[in-house]
Amino acid sequence: MEHIQKRKKKAQGYIEGKGLRALPHNIGYDFKKNKLIYLMSLPIVIWFIIFCYVPMGGILMAFEKYSPVKGIIGSDWVGFGNFRAFFQGPYFLRLMKNTVVLGVLDLIVGFPAPIIFALLLNEITTKKFKKTVQTISYMPYFISSVVLCGLITDFCASGGVLSNLVAGVTNSGGRNLLGISSYFRPIFVLSNLWQGLGYGSIIYIASLSSVDQELYEAAVMDGANRIKQTIHITLPGIAPTIIIMLILRISTLLQVSSDKILLLYNPSIYKTADVINTYVYREGLQNYNYGLSSAVGLFNSLIATALLLITNKISAKCSDTSLF
Amino acid sequence: MVKKKSFGEIIFTIFNYLFMIALCIICIIPIWHVAMASVSDPTLVSATSGLILRPLGQLSVTAYKIILTYKGLLIGYSNTIFYVIAQCTITGILSVMGGYIVSRKTFRYRNFLMLFMIFTMLFNGGMIPSYMVVRNLNLIDTRWAMLIPSAISVFNIIIMRTAIQGVPDSLEESARIDGANDFVVMFRIILPLCKASFAVVMLFTAIGKWNEWFNAMIYLPTKTSLLPLQMFMRELLIKSSGDAVNQADMISNAQLYMTLVKYAAIIVSTLPILCVYPFVQKYFVKGVMIGSVKG
């Protein structure tokens, strides 16, 4: 009798509190209830396995002397040999320095700018003017990186607009700016700023509009001027957004927009322009040095993950805002 | 509440307006320069060192004639249009389905599935292992290589999930009583109510595809006939190959037009997006906002 009741109960629903042992039953029961959902999940799960999880297995290549003939399983293991080769190789310091410098410069210049722009735009009361400024400032974002780099190449070529401008200021004759290593960093950072400023401000403008208007009225009553209102009401109001954006930004610090660098750089400015990701591309896909390239890629993504977790933790501690 | 402005505030307002105007000029001027130079006299353009703010010499559309007869651009244009449409279709269906399944309250393992997807945002195999997967699937040098590896983005699924969760359950229940299955509920009931978010996903997909070049470079190494527009733009702008101009040998002083042809190509390839985006701008704001809601 008891046994029949148990079976009846079992057929009726999920078994709770039994952990993994109940999993097959629960999945089976869930499947019966949601057959079409499982059918829909199928292509999505397969896609994630093939294009996200299988490549994670490819990380094994970082620990072996990969040979295409022997495959991932059959290639000779070298342990941390590839990592050692990279850390002790001639390019390690240069790559680290360039990646960090470009990433940090881009952060310092490119992160606060959209916030300041949003704050200034917020002070503009003419609706039509505000809208026009927004539309125009978003425009550069929609220009493809190929066209943007084409513009940069053209403007920086000897005789180009920027090159002439620089020549006028420094009295040094119009040279090709992309051939001089000391100019690469400002060109890269400023062009990123040009492209991302307006679009980057969208999120701040949106969160500004959700700041409680009554607070401002109360502040005016108390005699606070514009600057005081900004410091005491506006900034605290959008602080959570700023912090989230900062976390996301810092986690991609070492990624740098490598597709732009690939389009812009040339061997004569590798000294300042070559970054970890462009090196991964050259070693892996141009020189077929898969093992070394995977090791460098893994190193880079481990640092990115660590940065994300650390910044997230710090911000959760200090300000109660965190990504997860 | 009308309040008299202080002197400092007036100064600030004036400077603020001037700053905004300056910023707009900086945003527009490179494109304006290119547009104006592209219809100018080529000899005058090469002799000018500053910005070109109005057409120099006689207005001429020769550069446009050259670029519009350049085979590479035509191939690239048609391929890009194909990729945009195909990618939007594939990504559209998968994003709606993905958002739908992880928002089903009756689906016990939805949270596990979401984690399964979000984990890939945090950690991935990197460029080389991904390339090798695509190569092992024999997708290299096929159109599929441009479509399948970029078919799903977790970001799109999160956008759709957020939108679907906002649809009231009662609508679905009444449809179920009328005998609707999951597909019917998803496409006929929920999708029409999530049009705005769906539009955002489509827009991001379309614009990303229009501007894409890196995947084409690594996944289509030898098939020139499949390359998208941006790859031809790269040939023309970055590698400065004279293909476009050489093809146009009916023009006597073709070489002279090299710079102008580049400019005309920039305008021709960028114009569609620059014309469309102001109209869909409001959706971007929505998209950015939804995207910022944590998953």
Side-chain angles (χ1 to χ4, degrees):
Chain A
M1 200 62 190
E2 201 182 85
H3 151 90
I4 290 172
Q5 225 167 20
K6 215 174 180 182
R7 264 179 71 181
K8 218 176 177 183
K9 209 174 170 192
K10 207 173 167 186
Q12 266 169 0
Y14 301 107
I15 301 171
E16 305 294 348
K18 286 216 173 153
L20 278 179
R21 268 191 301 156
L23 195 65
H25 166 83
N26 283 350
I27 290 182
Y29 179 73
D30 200 41
F31 177 77
K32 260 182 229 150
K33 259 178 72 180
N34 299 303
K35 275 194 187 119
L36 279 177
I37 301 281
Y38 278 84
L39 184 68
M40 285 181 199
S41 315
L42 199 63
I44 293 170
V45 170
I46 291 176
W47 186 91
F48 272 98
I49 289 175
I50 293 180
F51 291 101
C52 296
Y53 286 91
V54 171
M56 284 182 204
I59 288 169
L60 289 179
M61 278 190 296
F63 302 98
E64 56 192 20
K65 188 177 169 8
Y66 180 77
S67 134
V69 187
K70 293 177 184 166
I72 289 184
I73 307 296
S75 292
D76 302 330
W77 293 94
V78 293
F80 286 93
N82 288 321
F83 290 90
R84 219 171 296 133
F86 172 58
F87 293 140
Q88 291 167 355
Y91 302 119
F92 176 67
L93 280 179
R94 186 177 83 181
L95 289 170
M96 277 314 282
K97 189 179 159 209
N98 286 342
T99 312
V100 171
V101 168
L102 280 178
V104 170
L105 274 181
D106 203 33
L107 182 78
I108 294 173
V109 176
F111 185 73
I115 303 174
I116 296 168
F117 174 63
L119 289 174
L120 288 176
L121 197 69
N122 197 41
E123 299 293 331
I124 282 178
T125 41
T126 327
K127 266 231 165 97
K128 224 173 190 167
F129 181 73
K130 195 173 169 180
K131 197 106 217 176
T132 316
V133 172
Q134 273 181 281
T135 306
I136 293 174
S137 65
Y138 296 168
M139 187 192 78
Y141 183 81
F142 298 101
I143 292 173
S144 74
S145 50
V146 173
V147 167
L148 177 70
C149 293
L151 286 174
I152 297 172
T153 316
D154 186 74
F155 286 179
C156 292
S158 57
V161 176
L162 270 177
S163 160
N164 282 324
L165 194 75
V166 171
V169 175
T170 60
N171 259 333
S172 56
R175 292 170 301 173
N176 180 5
L177 301 183
L178 282 173
I180 309 166
S181 53
S182 59
Y183 281 114
F184 183 77
R185 282 170 191 160
I187 290 173
F188 179 79
V189 171
L190 291 177
S191 64
N192 276 351
L193 180 69
W194 182 75
Q195 192 170 30
L197 177 75
Y199 192 79
S201 71
I202 290 184
I203 183 146
Y204 301 113
I205 291 169
S207 76
L208 276 172
S209 65
S210 64
V211 176
D212 193 352
Q213 293 302 312
E214 280 176 26
L215 288 175
Y216 289 105
E217 281 165 29
V220 171
M221 289 297 190
D222 292 344
N225 60 20
R226 279 264 182 82
I227 298 171
K228 279 194 171 153
Q229 287 175 31
T230 306
I231 293 173
H232 295 294
I233 302 174
T234 316
L235 280 178
I238 62 171
T241 315
I242 295 179
I243 291 169
I244 297 268
M245 296 308 281
L246 190 64
I247 298 173
L248 288 173
R249 187 81 187 237
I250 288 178
S251 71
T252 55
L253 192 73
L254 295 192
Q255 301 298 325
V256 193
S257 0
S258 47
D259 66 326
K260 253 180 83 186
I261 299 181
L262 277 179
L263 290 167
L264 284 177
Y265 77 166
N266 55 64
S268 66
I269 53 168
Y270 277 179
K271 207 179 120 205
T272 53
D274 199 15
V275 295
I276 294 178
N277 272 345
T278 52
Y279 180 72
V280 171
Y281 167 74
R282 277 206 317 280
E283 276 304 311
L285 295 177
Q286 287 185 335
N287 302 336
Y288 302 106
N289 203 343
Y290 289 141
L292 179 62
S293 186
S294 303
V296 180
L298 177 61
F299 168 71
N300 205 18
S301 81
L302 281 178
I303 292 188
T305 312
L307 278 177
L308 177 71
L309 295 176
I310 293 169
T311 28
N312 192 49
K313 192 103 196 175
I314 293 175
S315 115
K317 266 236 167 80
C318 302
S319 67
D320 290 338
T321 310
S322 69
L323 210 52
F324 40 76
Chain B
M1 189 167 66
V2 181
K3 194 173 157 282
K4 212 176 152 227
K5 284 186 171 180
S6 74
F7 181 67
E9 279 186 37
I10 294 172
I11 296 280
F12 168 76
T13 310
I14 292 172
F15 270 102
N16 200 2
Y17 273 81
L18 288 178
F19 172 77
M20 290 299 163
I21 291 169
L23 194 95
C24 288
I25 293 174
I26 292 172
C27 284
I28 289 186
I29 224 158
I31 293 289
W32 184 255
H33 165 88
V34 166
M36 289 302 118
S38 70
V39 291
S40 297
D41 186 308
T43 38
L44 290 175
V45 169
S46 56
T48 317
S49 64
L51 285 168
I52 297 167
L53 299 179
R54 58 189 171 78
L56 301 174
Q58 194 126 41
L59 206 66
S60 119
V61 290
T62 318
Y64 286 91
K65 276 186 192 152
I66 297 176
I67 200 66
L68 290 176
T69 53
Y70 171 43
K71 273 203 201 79
L73 186 96
L74 300 180
I75 296 171
Y77 235 100
S78 58
N79 282 336
T80 291
I81 290 173
F82 169 79
Y83 291 135
V84 167
I85 294 173
Q87 186 79 81
C88 279
T89 315
I90 297 173
T91 304
I93 294 174
L94 289 173
S95 305
V96 175
M97 262 169 37
Y100 182 79
I101 54 179
V102 292
S103 65
R104 286 309 82 196
K105 292 194 190 81
T106 53
F107 177 34
R108 191 178 166 93
Y109 299 102
R110 63 182 186 282
N111 287 332
F112 168 76
L113 197 61
M114 201 63 221
L115 234 105
F116 174 78
M117 298 197 277
I118 286 181
F119 180 67
T120 63
M121 283 173 110
L122 204 63
F123 197 76
N124 57 62
M127 187 192 297
I128 308 298
S130 307
Y131 168 80
M132 291 183 66
V133 166
V134 175
R135 203 188 55 184
N136 290 339
L137 291 171
N138 285 324
L139 292 179
I140 299 292
D141 275 337
T142 66
R143 283 185 193 276
W144 295 111
M146 288 292 286
L147 300 173
I148 298 181
S150 48
I152 295 180
S153 124
V154 183
F155 186 71
N156 287 341
I157 290 182
I158 293 176
I159 289 186
M160 286 318 295
R161 185 183 78 150
T162 314
I164 292 172
Q165 279 172 344
V167 176
D169 292 341
S170 49
L171 276 171
E172 188 197 330
E173 279 159 25
S174 64
R176 296 256 180 217
I177 290 167
D178 292 341
N181 64 24
D182 281 302
F183 281 102
V184 177
V185 170
M186 181 171 74
F187 286 113
R188 303 273 295 273
I189 312 285
I190 286 179
L191 187 56
L193 289 169
C194 301
K195 257 189 224 145
S197 299
F198 187 65
V200 170
V201 170
M202 294 286 90
L203 276 167
F204 281 133
T205 309
I207 286 175
K209 210 68 201 169
W210 186 275
N211 288 339
E212 186 183 85
W213 67 280
F214 189 75
N215 278 350
M217 180 176 73
I218 60 178
Y219 294 148
L220 302 172
T222 57
K223 275 277 178 62
T224 321
S225 61
L226 297 182
L227 290 180
L229 181 62
Q230 299 299 339
M231 282 299 281
F232 289 100
M233 292 300 291
R234 175 170 169 263
E235 275 310 292
L236 201 65
L237 298 178
I238 313 283
K239 293 189 164 173
S240 287
S241 81
D243 270 10
V245 179
N246 294 339
Q247 260 187 34
D249 41 27
M250 73 280 189
I251 292 161
S252 55
N253 47 358
Q255 214 47 46
L256 190 62
Y257 277 94
M258 193 59 216
T259 312
L260 262 64
V261 166
K262 285 187 192 178
Y263 289 165
I266 290 178
I267 298 298
V268 170
S269 74
T270 313
L271 207 60
I273 285 195
L274 291 193
C275 288
V276 169
Y277 97 84
F279 296 101
V280 292
Q281 191 180 319
K282 57 178 180 206
Y283 292 114
F284 288 117
V285 179
K286 203 179 162 70
V288 170
M289 278 317 281
I290 305 169
S292 70
V293 175
K294 56 178 176 178

